[in-house]
Amino acid sequence: MAKRAANGDGSIYQRKDGRWEASSFQKTTSGKVKRYRVVHRERDTARRLLTERIADDLKGRPLAEKRWQTGAFLDHWLVERVSRRNRPRTVELYEGIIRLHLKPFLATTALTDLRRAQVQAMFDDMHDTGRSARVIQQSRQVLRAALNDAIRQGLIHDNPATAVDLPRWERKTITPWDADQTKAFLETAERSPWYGAYLLMAMYGLRRGEALGLQWGDFDFAENSIHVERQLQRVNGVLELGPLKTSAGRRQLPLTGPAQAYFANRALTAGIVPDAAHKRPQTPRDARLVFTAETGGPVDPKTFYIKFKRLAAMAALPDNTLHHLRHGAATFMKNQGLPARDVQLILGHAHITTTQQIYQHADEAGQTTALDSIGQSLVEADGSRCRQNYPSNDSQDIESEDLQTTQNRRSTGVESADLRGGPGGARTLDTLLKRLMISRITGAATPVYLAARRSLISYELAAVAVKTIRQDRLQWRIYCARWCVPEVGHVNWCRFWWPDDTTRLRRQFNAAFRPEPAGWRPPREYTHRTRNVRSSSRIHIGTQRSLRPSHQSRQHDKEIGGIDG
């Protein structure tokens, strides 16, 4: 008799059409219990799919209340999520991306069956059909946001739009007008009824919608300030005043310079006295638009843009967009030395990186002036040389007013200004400046120089002797040997050890160095101690007392006949 399945394991049976159906009761995302069914031609496959569903339920992944298709879910997400927490213009942008780019590829695909390969194929096809890299990136952003919301609802468990390969998108190079070009444009647009909007965009960096959405109630002539609180946009074909792009866009700006003079005259035309009585908050608030069309209604942003292009063409200026005036304003503020934080507040950016990386551009004239100033400070105009133009071992005499104070510094024995240290006679702490520049040594060699020269020659000759002797692979000992350097005389004393039967080595050593004069000893002032060159060689350079032979050494000299024996 077949064993009965445990409660919760589900059941599997064969249908009349020959296919296998596996089913089990599962909890849905709404908390209700629903019967889950899976049908397949093979029994093992149906069992495996049911087992996977039971495993997901044990992991806390409830069954979706409804089996969504991707297109239907995108429409549901747009209405229930996006429209409730975003501005109307953003909702319109998302709706266009879903309708034009996503639904043609994914509308009929089940949300739970959506895979990364299918999403990648969609983006590849968009690129092959000529869609721009920016459009593809925006489509991925919208799809990824929608699928992340599906994960939060428990409809799917991973996002197939996260790890797809997209074409690289780079921002176009923007070259805003310089100050002279912007001035030429404003002179051309001076007779335009919208001159004030162009002036605010060029001077304060206002957005197009912010300038066209200004009302007379936003002006405070008592404090000479402007309050930016809304923007004018066309949403679904209708012009309407809406919230600003970000909360950082709500700002108060000082009304100064040509802007203050222009709007004071414009206020008189509108029947407003620009004095201390016209201040915020107003009761009732003046909601009349500052800039209007010929019909008295709000200015269409598209018409405003077309008029801008015509004025720029009349002034024979480079072909820039209206938004480039905002870039130019940010660049002008940077060139005037205004702190980046203040520029961010004037432009109304939420992040200072947006101001610095996107809106502020390089000023070639300013860079040229700065680099020229740096070059003049490094290489003086009177022709003084740059160190890079001369060899590293070259030097020149140092002449300064401090030459008269050399007697107050510690003497080095060399009458030259090239070996002096810092202002107090001490060496500089900069390691790159510690190299001695000896350009001229007058007279005979000084004791300091001779001592350094002797130490160097002693080390080199001793190393040669050690190398010559060690090549014979014998232990060695030579006692009280000395060598002579023609230009400085006897240098120092050293000790070498060698066995008694190494007469050939003694002959080689005596052939390399002259014998010492009888009774000669190195002067005490030349003697000093150094470290052993090698622990195996045990070369010692010491004082006179350390060079005197001990009783054992004298007995050894008698046996081998001395150094020259």
Side-chain angles (χ1 to χ4, degrees):
M1 182 176 180
K3 186 177 181 180
R4 183 181 179 87
N7 188 21
D9 289 347
S11 59
I12 181 170
Y13 56 91
Q14 190 173 19
R15 296 165 42 138
K16 293 181 179 180
D17 57 2
R19 295 184 299 172
W20 291 88
E21 178 177 335
S23 62
S24 176
F25 288 96
Q26 301 285 328
K27 285 187 177 182
T28 63
T29 54
S30 62
K32 300 179 180 180
V33 178
K34 180 180 179 181
R35 188 179 182 88
Y36 172 78
R37 291 184 175 90
V38 58
V39 181
H40 202 272
R41 290 176 298 179
E42 298 180 0
R43 186 180 187 279
D44 294 341
T45 304
R47 167 59 68 182
R48 178 178 57 81
L49 294 176
L50 178 62
T51 304
E52 292 177 356
R53 176 59 252 170
I54 295 175
D56 290 339
D57 183 69
L58 295 176
K59 293 178 181 178
R61 300 174 179 177
L63 183 66
E65 182 71 22
K66 178 182 178 181
R67 184 174 174 84
W68 287 95
Q69 289 185 339
T70 304
F73 175 78
L74 290 175
D75 294 336
H76 169 78
W77 172 73
L78 185 66
V79 175
E80 298 296 332
R81 294 290 187 269
V82 179
S83 61
R84 294 183 178 181
R85 57 191 180 191
N86 292 278
R87 300 183 308 275
R89 186 71 181 92
T90 304
V91 177
E92 184 182 13
L93 176 64
Y94 279 26
E95 188 276 332
I97 292 176
I98 292 173
R99 174 171 47 85
L100 298 176
H101 305 301
L102 297 180
K103 291 180 67 175
F105 293 92
L106 307 176
T108 59
T109 304
L111 187 62
T112 54
D113 296 338
L114 190 61
R115 296 293 181 264
R116 187 172 292 107
Q118 185 178 359
V119 176
Q120 182 67 62
M122 178 189 67
F123 290 137
D124 293 342
D125 186 78
M126 292 175 61
H127 182 265
D128 296 339
T129 55
R131 311 287 175 85
S132 65
R134 181 56 178 166
V135 171
I136 297 176
Q137 285 199 357
Q138 290 178 340
S139 301
R140 198 275 290 271
Q141 291 174 359
V142 173
L143 180 61
R144 181 174 56 185
L147 296 181
N148 283 336
D149 188 73
I151 294 176
R152 287 190 290 269
Q153 297 182 36
L155 303 180
I156 56 177
H157 308 310
D158 62 341
N159 193 332
T162 55
V164 293
D165 187 17
L166 299 181
R168 183 179 181 84
W169 173 71
E170 296 181 357
R171 295 183 180 272
K172 295 181 180 180
T173 303
I174 296 177
T175 306
W177 293 336
D178 57 22
D180 295 336
Q181 293 172 332
T182 305
K183 182 179 179 180
F185 169 78
L186 292 177
E187 291 176 354
T188 305
E190 190 172 4
R191 296 184 178 181
S192 172
W194 305 325
Y195 169 77
Y198 296 129
L199 178 62
L200 291 177
M201 295 184 66
M203 184 175 176
Y204 293 90
L206 263 64
R207 301 178 179 91
R208 176 180 58 180
E210 295 172 347
L212 298 180
L214 286 175
Q215 299 175 350
W216 284 115
D218 298 327
F219 286 81
D220 190 340
F221 289 103
E223 297 183 358
N224 285 327
S225 61
I226 308 175
H227 295 259
V228 182
E229 296 180 347
R230 70 194 58 82
Q231 61 180 343
L232 179 67
Q233 289 182 326
R234 180 178 291 277
V235 181
N236 296 325
V238 180
L239 289 176
E240 59 182 32
L241 292 174
L244 296 174
K245 187 175 182 180
T246 60
S247 59
R250 298 177 61 90
R251 57 201 187 275
Q252 178 181 349
L253 302 175
L255 186 62
T256 59
Q260 195 276 338
Y262 174 82
F263 285 102
N265 296 331
R266 187 72 180 266
L268 292 174
T269 306
I272 300 173
V273 180
D275 56 9
H278 190 275
K279 61 181 180 180
R280 289 169 52 93
Q282 304 166 356
T283 306
R285 185 179 180 280
D286 193 345
R288 292 178 298 168
L289 291 174
V290 177
F291 305 104
T292 59
E294 296 179 356
T295 59
V299 180
D300 190 339
K302 187 174 182 180
T303 305
F304 184 73
Y305 178 78
I306 294 175
K307 184 63 175 178
F308 164 80
K309 298 293 287 186
R310 292 177 180 175
L311 294 173
M314 292 173 58
L317 295 174
D319 187 16
N320 280 3
T321 65
L322 181 61
H323 195 69
H324 288 176
L325 290 178
R326 183 171 169 85
H327 289 254
T331 305
F332 296 154
M333 298 176 195
K334 175 183 69 70
N335 296 339
Q336 293 297 325
L338 193 65
R341 174 60 178 170
D342 293 335
V343 179
Q344 174 197 358
L345 296 177
I346 293 175
L347 296 180
H349 287 150
H351 304 284
I352 196 172
T353 54
T354 303
T355 305
Q356 294 179 315
Q357 297 180 2
I358 299 178
Y359 282 87
Q360 291 183 339
H361 302 275
D363 179 23
E364 295 183 1
Q367 291 178 352
T368 302
T369 304
L371 292 176
D372 183 68
S373 176
I374 294 174
Q376 292 296 331
S377 63
L378 296 178
V379 182
E380 298 179 355
D382 58 357
S384 61
R385 72 190 189 109
C386 176
R387 184 175 175 84
Q388 295 293 333
N389 297 330
Y390 291 81
S392 60
N393 57 355
D394 187 32
S395 60
Q396 64 179 15
D397 294 339
I398 301 176
E399 297 180 1
S400 66
E401 298 178 356
D402 296 337
L403 289 175
Q404 300 177 358
T405 61
T406 53
Q407 64 272 17
N408 297 329
R409 304 176 182 174
R410 186 175 57 185
S411 175
T412 59
V414 179
E415 299 299 331
S416 174
D418 296 332
L419 294 179
R420 292 181 294 130
R427 294 295 181 195
T428 175
L429 298 178
D430 191 347
T431 57
L432 298 179
L433 300 178
K434 287 186 176 181
R435 177 179 176 269
L436 295 178
M437 308 255 325
I438 303 177
S439 61
R440 165 175 90 252
I441 299 179
T442 58
T446 62
V448 175
Y449 173 73
L450 292 177
R453 182 68 179 270
R454 280 191 298 271
S455 299
L456 176 62
I457 296 176
S458 301
Y459 178 84
E460 293 177 351
L461 293 178
V464 172
V466 171
K467 182 178 180 181
T468 303
I469 296 174
R470 287 181 60 83
Q471 286 177 352
D472 292 62
R473 300 180 181 179
L474 294 175
Q475 294 181 352
W476 40 272
R477 184 167 109 171
I478 300 177
Y479 175 70
C480 290
R482 70 98 183 87
W483 45 82
C484 180
V485 180
E487 58 180 287
V488 296
H490 295 283
V491 178
N492 217 324
W493 289 67
C494 292
R495 290 182 181 178
F496 297 83
W497 285 262
W498 77 86
D500 296 344
D501 56 348
T502 56
T503 305
R504 182 171 59 88
L505 294 180
R506 295 199 305 273
R507 189 181 306 111
Q508 291 179 356
F509 185 84
N510 292 331
F513 306 105
R514 301 186 206 173
E516 63 177 87
W520 186 86
R521 288 291 184 271
R524 183 180 298 274
E525 57 190 326
Y526 291 162
T527 58
H528 59 282
R529 287 189 177 273
T530 62
R531 295 182 179 180
N532 296 342
V533 178
R534 294 183 182 178
S535 58
S536 60
S537 60
R538 299 186 63 185
I539 299 178
H540 300 278
I541 301 176
T543 59
Q544 290 184 17
R545 179 170 298 181
S546 64
L547 293 175
R548 293 177 182 176
S550 61
H551 174 74
Q552 182 179 3
S553 298
R554 292 193 185 95
Q555 184 65 27
H556 180 71
D557 290 344
K558 292 180 181 180
E559 296 176 357
I560 64 175
I563 295 178
D564 299 326

